[in-house]
Amino acid sequence: MLRIVVDLNRCESYAQCVFAAPTVFWMKDEESLEYDYAPDDSLRVQVERAAAACPVQAISICCLDEQLEQQGGNHSEQQ
Ligand code: SF4
């Protein structure tokens, strides 16, 4: 499952993310960004494009599945 965090202190409302992934990011009142913090996995490519397009690198993507795997996968480092 995807999780998105936008650092709104860093965001300058350039709206590049809105163009890249309009179903995930949108502008409210033409200057404040709103977004779906848990979009469907099928939107991953769009979200990655949006994160890459952000001029101030305000968008972080995390994946709960990967986090759970990492937490549960600590034993795999032992041989
Ligand atoms: S592209 Fe970056 S700076 Fe622009 S609105 Fe999106 S998060 Fe904010």
Side-chain angles (χ1 to χ4, degrees):
M1 187 181 291
L2 278 178
R3 282 284 188 272
I4 301 174
V5 178
V6 177
D7 182 346
L8 293 174
N9 291 322
R10 191 183 278 198
C11 172
E12 299 283 350
S13 301
Y14 291 118
Q16 297 301 321
C17 55
V18 178
F19 292 116
T23 54
V24 180
F25 302 92
W26 59 93
M27 301 304 291
K28 186 184 173 201
D29 303 332
E30 295 189 6
E31 51 185 48
S32 57
L33 179 73
E34 292 194 336
Y35 63 100
D36 179 359
Y37 65 89
D40 192 87
D41 271 351
S42 63
L43 296 167
R44 173 181 283 272
V45 172
Q46 277 190 39
V47 170
E48 286 176 351
R49 249 185 239 142
C54 177
V56 293
Q57 283 91 49
I59 302 171
S60 303
I61 305 169
C62 33
C63 175
L64 275 189
D65 291 343
E66 282 171 17
Q67 285 173 0
L68 290 174
E69 270 173 34
Q70 283 169 8
Q71 284 169 9
N74 288 341
H75 304 293
S76 63
E77 291 174 12
Q78 298 171 356
Q79 292 183 353

